[in-house]
Amino acid sequence: MGRAERDQLTRTLNHHLNTVHETFQVLDQTAPSTLEKVSWVEVTKMGDQVSKQATIFGMLWTGGETPQVRALEENMVSYFNTLQGFLLLSHGSTVGAGPTLASCVHTSVKQVVDTSFKLWKESISLYGARNKDGKLSIPQWVGAVWEACSALKMTPATNITAIGRAMTKVAVSVKDVLREMKELKPASSDPTDGSSIEPSTEAEIEPDDDEISSDGDLGNDLSPEEMRVSQLAIAVVSEALVVIKELIRTISGLLKLENPNGGSNLVDSLEKLLKMCKEIGIQIDELGACLYPPQEVPAIKAASEKISSFVDDMQSELQNLNGNLEAFSQACNCLKSSLRQLESEVASPNTVDLETSVQNIDLNS
């Protein structure tokens, strides 16, 4: 009897899952401007209703007892009707959304759908089974739906907020690169330096791992010239971090200018600024990687030039938005100054890249 009931529930569930899946695919496309804009507050309220339905479902399994088929089917209808409404409201909230905001909405909504699917599929697979341990997992699956619905409240509701958060992620990455760059150390020529002393007893008990020891030595043998380049690069990355922070502050000041139904010019400019910000982050990663000996001078030059170009483009784009650019412009000027110093240093005769060094080797010596 349990097998037949489970098969019946599975068929009914698959129908609901397919319907929801088809509706969810609509979110792959941003809602047209002709559609009425739905506030994200309304979406989160419907998310609360999904969470409530998950709670009701969990209560049906209270005490480990297998619920009646009819009770499950009734709850299934209510649950997936609510989930469908949630998806439609979510789609309506993307009116005027740029790619970044739309991606944030899609990710949050998908988490609610995925956890809901898992809750129902896993639970119905246990119907009529004697697997008590499996049934004990149902509260965990319900909890996963709660968490996904609760996370909706943390999802950005505007393009500016979404793009600001994406820029913040870039800033965090740049900060990590800066920290690693500051760990670079010059080679020690002092025979009494701790790095040349025989390992102590404490050091000897550490795992003897060639890979670990080689990682630990990275950046500890820079020549004076390479150390000078590294210090100038650190100044560049420090100033770049300030530029990104000022960029975030500047676009945050534009929040009052954002049209809830979307302003294509503003959104397009914000997306361009985010792209430039990410490109600067990529070049900073490249710059940081080039500082380990032997330093890659051509790559350092290329990264520096690209960063300078992206900063110019960012300033031009921001001028079109008529925001308060004083602090941002000042930060950009400081960064450009640091870039010029770095470029001057790597262009000096004292800075020799690996390729040039190899070419100058006298094979007869």
Side-chain angles (χ1 to χ4, degrees):
M1 184 66 176
R3 176 64 178 273
E5 292 173 330
R6 183 167 65 249
D7 289 345
Q8 176 187 337
L9 288 168
T10 299
R11 287 191 296 271
T12 305
L13 175 61
N14 286 336
H15 170 74
H16 287 292
L17 296 180
N18 290 333
T19 301
V20 169
H21 180 69
E22 291 175 1
T23 304
F24 179 70
Q25 289 181 318
V26 175
L27 267 77
D28 291 336
Q29 301 294 327
T30 303
S33 57
T34 54
L35 195 66
E36 183 179 356
K37 171 74 173 181
V38 176
S39 73
W40 190 248
V41 173
E42 293 302 312
V43 177
T44 58
K45 287 181 178 178
M46 185 60 78
D48 290 339
Q49 292 303 310
V50 174
S51 182
K52 182 179 179 180
Q53 288 296 327
T55 301
I56 295 173
F57 175 81
M59 292 175 64
L60 294 176
W61 297 80
T62 301
E65 295 294 329
T66 301
Q68 297 296 317
V69 171
R70 182 172 180 178
L72 279 175
E73 288 182 332
E74 290 176 352
N75 183 243
M76 193 183 298
V77 171
S78 297
Y79 193 106
F80 285 100
N81 283 344
T82 303
L83 191 59
Q84 283 274 41
F86 167 74
L87 291 178
L88 294 174
L89 286 179
S90 298
H91 183 57
S93 75
T94 63
V95 173
T100 304
L101 177 58
S103 177
C104 292
V105 171
H106 189 280
T107 299
S108 296
V109 172
K110 185 176 186 300
Q111 190 63 20
V112 174
V113 172
D114 287 349
T115 54
S116 294
F117 277 23
K118 183 175 180 62
L119 168 65
W120 278 94
K121 290 169 70 173
E122 297 289 348
S123 300
I124 296 304
S125 70
L126 295 172
Y127 190 88
R130 297 181 179 180
N131 187 350
K132 294 183 179 180
D133 291 338
K135 293 178 182 179
L136 292 176
S137 299
I138 292 177
Q140 296 177 8
W141 299 328
V142 171
V145 176
W146 290 345
E147 291 179 6
C149 293
S150 179
L152 294 170
K153 297 179 175 63
M154 302 300 294
T155 303
T158 68
N159 288 289
I160 289 178
T161 303
I163 289 173
R165 289 187 186 179
M167 289 178 176
T168 299
K169 291 182 179 179
V170 176
V172 171
S173 177
V174 170
K175 193 173 181 180
D176 288 341
V177 173
L178 180 60
R179 185 185 66 253
E180 293 176 3
M181 291 170 68
K182 289 181 177 179
E183 293 175 355
L184 294 169
K185 295 180 177 64
S188 174
S189 58
D190 185 354
T192 64
D193 185 270
S195 61
S196 62
I197 297 176
E198 291 297 322
S200 65
T201 303
E202 291 184 1
E204 290 175 346
I205 66 175
E206 293 296 324
D208 184 12
D209 190 322
D210 291 338
E211 184 176 351
I212 293 177
S213 63
S214 64
D215 288 344
D217 292 335
L218 283 176
N220 290 334
D221 53 354
L222 272 66
S223 68
E225 292 80 11
E226 289 174 329
M227 200 63 206
R228 169 66 178 166
V229 171
S230 297
Q231 292 297 330
L232 291 173
I234 288 173
V236 166
V237 177
S238 296
E239 297 296 347
L241 185 58
V242 175
V243 167
I244 296 174
K245 289 180 178 179
E246 288 300 335
L247 175 62
I248 295 171
R249 291 193 186 98
T250 301
I251 68 168
S252 296
L254 301 173
L255 191 59
K256 60 182 178 297
L257 301 178
E258 183 171 2
N259 184 342
N261 294 320
S264 58
N265 292 335
L266 175 60
V267 176
D268 288 347
S269 290
L270 292 173
E271 293 289 350
K272 289 178 182 177
L273 287 168
L274 174 58
K275 183 177 180 180
M276 296 171 199
C277 184
K278 288 181 176 179
E279 290 292 345
I280 288 177
I282 291 172
Q283 295 308 315
I284 286 175
D285 283 341
E286 180 70 17
L287 181 60
C290 292
L291 296 181
Y292 293 98
Q295 290 182 342
E296 304 172 44
V297 173
I300 293 174
K301 291 179 180 177
S304 178
E305 291 170 359
K306 289 179 181 178
I307 292 172
S308 182
S309 176
F310 286 128
V311 170
D312 288 338
D313 292 342
M314 287 170 66
Q315 286 185 288
S316 298
E317 193 64 44
L318 268 178
Q319 286 176 353
N320 298 331
L321 298 180
N322 299 319
N324 185 357
L325 304 182
E326 183 177 354
F328 178 74
S329 297
Q330 183 177 355
C332 289
N333 291 335
C334 291
L335 173 55
K336 290 178 183 178
S337 176
S338 295
L339 286 167
R340 286 192 294 269
Q341 292 181 53
L342 175 61
E343 291 170 4
S344 176
E345 179 66 23
V346 296
S348 67
N350 292 329
T351 306
V352 183
D353 59 82
L354 179 61
E355 181 179 353
T356 304
S357 299
V358 171
Q359 291 174 350
N360 291 337
I361 292 176
D362 185 355
L363 296 178
N364 296 322
S365 60

PDB file of all heavy atoms in Angstrom, residues 236 240 279-280 283-284 287 302-312 335 339:
ATOM      1  N   VAL A 236      50.485  51.862  -5.607  1.00  0.00           N
ATOM      2  CA  VAL A 236      49.466  51.867  -6.658  1.00  0.00           C
ATOM      3  C   VAL A 236      48.207  51.147  -6.191  1.00  0.00           C
ATOM      4  O   VAL A 236      47.089  51.651  -6.331  1.00  0.00           O
ATOM      5  CB  VAL A 236      50.010  51.185  -7.942  1.00  0.00           C
ATOM      6  CG1 VAL A 236      48.873  50.871  -8.910  1.00  0.00           C
ATOM      7  CG2 VAL A 236      51.030  52.088  -8.617  1.00  0.00           C
ATOM      8  N   ALA A 240      44.512  52.519  -5.609  1.00  0.00           N
ATOM      9  CA  ALA A 240      43.410  51.932  -6.372  1.00  0.00           C
ATOM     10  C   ALA A 240      42.257  51.546  -5.446  1.00  0.00           C
ATOM     11  O   ALA A 240      41.084  51.693  -5.793  1.00  0.00           O
ATOM     12  CB  ALA A 240      43.896  50.708  -7.150  1.00  0.00           C
ATOM     13  N   GLU A 279      37.639  45.194 -14.174  1.00  0.00           N
ATOM     14  CA  GLU A 279      38.851  45.122 -15.002  1.00  0.00           C
ATOM     15  C   GLU A 279      40.068  45.628 -14.229  1.00  0.00           C
ATOM     16  O   GLU A 279      41.158  45.069 -14.343  1.00  0.00           O
ATOM     17  CB  GLU A 279      38.659  45.943 -16.284  1.00  0.00           C
ATOM     18  CG  GLU A 279      37.669  45.358 -17.269  1.00  0.00           C
ATOM     19  CD  GLU A 279      38.165  44.069 -17.890  1.00  0.00           C
ATOM     20  OE1 GLU A 279      39.368  43.773 -17.778  1.00  0.00           O
ATOM     21  OE2 GLU A 279      37.350  43.347 -18.495  1.00  0.00           O
ATOM     22  N   ILE A 280      39.870  46.685 -13.445  1.00  0.00           N
ATOM     23  CA  ILE A 280      40.964  47.176 -12.610  1.00  0.00           C
ATOM     24  C   ILE A 280      41.362  46.100 -11.603  1.00  0.00           C
ATOM     25  O   ILE A 280      42.550  45.870 -11.341  1.00  0.00           O
ATOM     26  CB  ILE A 280      40.551  48.485 -11.888  1.00  0.00           C
ATOM     27  CG1 ILE A 280      40.488  49.632 -12.895  1.00  0.00           C
ATOM     28  CG2 ILE A 280      41.525  48.817 -10.762  1.00  0.00           C
ATOM     29  CD1 ILE A 280      40.018  50.948 -12.306  1.00  0.00           C
ATOM     30  N   GLN A 283      43.541  43.573 -13.310  1.00  0.00           N
ATOM     31  CA  GLN A 283      44.900  44.063 -13.548  1.00  0.00           C
ATOM     32  C   GLN A 283      45.706  44.137 -12.250  1.00  0.00           C
ATOM     33  O   GLN A 283      46.925  43.924 -12.261  1.00  0.00           O
ATOM     34  CB  GLN A 283      44.847  45.443 -14.218  1.00  0.00           C
ATOM     35  CG  GLN A 283      44.248  45.428 -15.609  1.00  0.00           C
ATOM     36  CD  GLN A 283      44.912  44.397 -16.512  1.00  0.00           C
ATOM     37  OE1 GLN A 283      46.138  44.275 -16.551  1.00  0.00           O
ATOM     38  NE2 GLN A 283      44.093  43.639 -17.239  1.00  0.00           N
ATOM     39  N   ILE A 284      45.033  44.399 -11.158  1.00  0.00           N
ATOM     40  CA  ILE A 284      45.730  44.418  -9.863  1.00  0.00           C
ATOM     41  C   ILE A 284      46.163  43.003  -9.479  1.00  0.00           C
ATOM     42  O   ILE A 284      47.256  42.790  -8.946  1.00  0.00           O
ATOM     43  CB  ILE A 284      44.840  45.059  -8.783  1.00  0.00           C
ATOM     44  CG1 ILE A 284      44.793  46.572  -9.009  1.00  0.00           C
ATOM     45  CG2 ILE A 284      45.349  44.740  -7.377  1.00  0.00           C
ATOM     46  CD1 ILE A 284      43.866  47.322  -8.091  1.00  0.00           C
ATOM     47  N   LEU A 287      49.145  42.433 -11.535  1.00  0.00           N
ATOM     48  CA  LEU A 287      50.278  43.195 -11.009  1.00  0.00           C
ATOM     49  C   LEU A 287      50.889  42.492  -9.798  1.00  0.00           C
ATOM     50  O   LEU A 287      52.108  42.370  -9.678  1.00  0.00           O
ATOM     51  CB  LEU A 287      49.816  44.606 -10.632  1.00  0.00           C
ATOM     52  CG  LEU A 287      50.873  45.573 -10.084  1.00  0.00           C
ATOM     53  CD1 LEU A 287      51.984  45.782 -11.098  1.00  0.00           C
ATOM     54  CD2 LEU A 287      50.225  46.906  -9.719  1.00  0.00           C
ATOM     55  N   ALA A 302      52.298  46.682 -18.661  1.00  0.00           N
ATOM     56  CA  ALA A 302      50.993  46.516 -19.305  1.00  0.00           C
ATOM     57  C   ALA A 302      49.854  46.704 -18.309  1.00  0.00           C
ATOM     58  O   ALA A 302      48.858  47.385 -18.595  1.00  0.00           O
ATOM     59  CB  ALA A 302      50.911  45.135 -19.950  1.00  0.00           C
ATOM     60  N   ALA A 303      49.989  46.112 -17.119  1.00  0.00           N
ATOM     61  CA  ALA A 303      48.950  46.239 -16.094  1.00  0.00           C
ATOM     62  C   ALA A 303      48.793  47.694 -15.661  1.00  0.00           C
ATOM     63  O   ALA A 303      47.670  48.196 -15.499  1.00  0.00           O
ATOM     64  CB  ALA A 303      49.288  45.365 -14.891  1.00  0.00           C
ATOM     65  N   SER A 304      49.915  48.379 -15.496  1.00  0.00           N
ATOM     66  CA  SER A 304      49.883  49.781 -15.081  1.00  0.00           C
ATOM     67  C   SER A 304      49.176  50.640 -16.118  1.00  0.00           C
ATOM     68  O   SER A 304      48.337  51.495 -15.784  1.00  0.00           O
ATOM     69  CB  SER A 304      51.315  50.282 -14.859  1.00  0.00           C
ATOM     70  OG  SER A 304      51.311  51.641 -14.499  1.00  0.00           O
ATOM     71  N   GLU A 305      49.488  50.422 -17.381  1.00  0.00           N
ATOM     72  CA  GLU A 305      48.878  51.207 -18.454  1.00  0.00           C
ATOM     73  C   GLU A 305      47.376  50.944 -18.547  1.00  0.00           C
ATOM     74  O   GLU A 305      46.582  51.870 -18.766  1.00  0.00           O
ATOM     75  CB  GLU A 305      49.557  50.870 -19.784  1.00  0.00           C
ATOM     76  CG  GLU A 305      50.999  51.382 -19.870  1.00  0.00           C
ATOM     77  CD  GLU A 305      51.735  50.834 -21.075  1.00  0.00           C
ATOM     78  OE1 GLU A 305      51.115  50.042 -21.835  1.00  0.00           O
ATOM     79  OE2 GLU A 305      52.910  51.185 -21.269  1.00  0.00           O
ATOM     80  N   LYS A 306      46.980  49.692 -18.378  1.00  0.00           N
ATOM     81  CA  LYS A 306      45.553  49.354 -18.446  1.00  0.00           C
ATOM     82  C   LYS A 306      44.787  49.977 -17.286  1.00  0.00           C
ATOM     83  O   LYS A 306      43.674  50.480 -17.465  1.00  0.00           O
ATOM     84  CB  LYS A 306      45.373  47.838 -18.454  1.00  0.00           C
ATOM     85  CG  LYS A 306      45.808  47.187 -19.753  1.00  0.00           C
ATOM     86  CD  LYS A 306      45.634  45.671 -19.703  1.00  0.00           C
ATOM     87  CE  LYS A 306      46.097  45.019 -20.990  1.00  0.00           C
ATOM     88  NZ  LYS A 306      45.974  43.535 -20.946  1.00  0.00           N
ATOM     89  N   ILE A 307      45.373  49.947 -16.087  1.00  0.00           N
ATOM     90  CA  ILE A 307      44.713  50.553 -14.930  1.00  0.00           C
ATOM     91  C   ILE A 307      44.501  52.036 -15.174  1.00  0.00           C
ATOM     92  O   ILE A 307      43.420  52.587 -14.921  1.00  0.00           O
ATOM     93  CB  ILE A 307      45.546  50.333 -13.646  1.00  0.00           C
ATOM     94  CG1 ILE A 307      45.552  48.854 -13.263  1.00  0.00           C
ATOM     95  CG2 ILE A 307      44.988  51.170 -12.490  1.00  0.00           C
ATOM     96  CD1 ILE A 307      46.495  48.513 -12.124  1.00  0.00           C
ATOM     97  N   SER A 308      45.528  52.708 -15.685  1.00  0.00           N
ATOM     98  CA  SER A 308      45.428  54.146 -15.972  1.00  0.00           C
ATOM     99  C   SER A 308      44.324  54.427 -16.984  1.00  0.00           C
ATOM    100  O   SER A 308      43.543  55.372 -16.835  1.00  0.00           O
ATOM    101  CB  SER A 308      46.771  54.656 -16.498  1.00  0.00           C
ATOM    102  OG  SER A 308      46.716  56.048 -16.748  1.00  0.00           O
ATOM    103  N   SER A 309      44.234  53.580 -18.006  1.00  0.00           N
ATOM    104  CA  SER A 309      43.212  53.762 -19.038  1.00  0.00           C
ATOM    105  C   SER A 309      41.809  53.573 -18.472  1.00  0.00           C
ATOM    106  O   SER A 309      40.892  54.358 -18.769  1.00  0.00           O
ATOM    107  CB  SER A 309      43.453  52.766 -20.175  1.00  0.00           C
ATOM    108  OG  SER A 309      42.437  52.856 -21.155  1.00  0.00           O
ATOM    109  N   PHE A 310      41.631  52.555 -17.636  1.00  0.00           N
ATOM    110  CA  PHE A 310      40.311  52.304 -17.044  1.00  0.00           C
ATOM    111  C   PHE A 310      39.908  53.446 -16.107  1.00  0.00           C
ATOM    112  O   PHE A 310      38.726  53.811 -16.041  1.00  0.00           O
ATOM    113  CB  PHE A 310      40.307  50.973 -16.288  1.00  0.00           C
ATOM    114  CG  PHE A 310      40.298  49.773 -17.181  1.00  0.00           C
ATOM    115  CD1 PHE A 310      41.230  48.749 -17.016  1.00  0.00           C
ATOM    116  CD2 PHE A 310      39.361  49.646 -18.186  1.00  0.00           C
ATOM    117  CE1 PHE A 310      41.232  47.645 -17.836  1.00  0.00           C
ATOM    118  CE2 PHE A 310      39.347  48.530 -19.022  1.00  0.00           C
ATOM    119  CZ  PHE A 310      40.287  47.532 -18.851  1.00  0.00           C
ATOM    120  N   VAL A 311      40.869  54.013 -15.397  1.00  0.00           N
ATOM    121  CA  VAL A 311      40.565  55.136 -14.501  1.00  0.00           C
ATOM    122  C   VAL A 311      40.081  56.330 -15.318  1.00  0.00           C
ATOM    123  O   VAL A 311      39.112  57.010 -14.936  1.00  0.00           O
ATOM    124  CB  VAL A 311      41.809  55.520 -13.664  1.00  0.00           C
ATOM    125  CG1 VAL A 311      41.565  56.832 -12.926  1.00  0.00           C
ATOM    126  CG2 VAL A 311      42.120  54.416 -12.663  1.00  0.00           C
ATOM    127  N   ASP A 312      40.727  56.595 -16.449  1.00  0.00           N
ATOM    128  CA  ASP A 312      40.281  57.690 -17.319  1.00  0.00           C
ATOM    129  C   ASP A 312      38.855  57.458 -17.799  1.00  0.00           C
ATOM    130  O   ASP A 312      38.023  58.387 -17.807  1.00  0.00           O
ATOM    131  CB  ASP A 312      41.216  57.807 -18.527  1.00  0.00           C
ATOM    132  CG  ASP A 312      42.579  58.374 -18.163  1.00  0.00           C
ATOM    133  OD1 ASP A 312      42.682  59.045 -17.115  1.00  0.00           O
ATOM    134  OD2 ASP A 312      43.533  58.131 -18.930  1.00  0.00           O
ATOM    135  N   LEU A 335      46.112  58.102  -7.669  1.00  0.00           N
ATOM    136  CA  LEU A 335      46.420  56.811  -8.279  1.00  0.00           C
ATOM    137  C   LEU A 335      47.274  57.002  -9.531  1.00  0.00           C
ATOM    138  O   LEU A 335      48.256  56.282  -9.742  1.00  0.00           O
ATOM    139  CB  LEU A 335      45.129  56.071  -8.634  1.00  0.00           C
ATOM    140  CG  LEU A 335      45.285  54.764  -9.432  1.00  0.00           C
ATOM    141  CD1 LEU A 335      46.212  53.795  -8.720  1.00  0.00           C
ATOM    142  CD2 LEU A 335      43.919  54.123  -9.677  1.00  0.00           C
ATOM    143  N   LEU A 339      50.937  55.537 -10.408  1.00  0.00           N
ATOM    144  CA  LEU A 339      51.164  54.751 -11.616  1.00  0.00           C
ATOM    145  C   LEU A 339      52.345  55.306 -12.413  1.00  0.00           C
ATOM    146  O   LEU A 339      53.165  54.554 -12.942  1.00  0.00           O
ATOM    147  CB  LEU A 339      49.901  54.739 -12.489  1.00  0.00           C
ATOM    148  CG  LEU A 339      48.750  53.865 -11.989  1.00  0.00           C
ATOM    149  CD1 LEU A 339      47.466  54.178 -12.755  1.00  0.00           C
ATOM    150  CD2 LEU A 339      49.093  52.379 -12.138  1.00  0.00           C
TER     151      LEU A 339
END
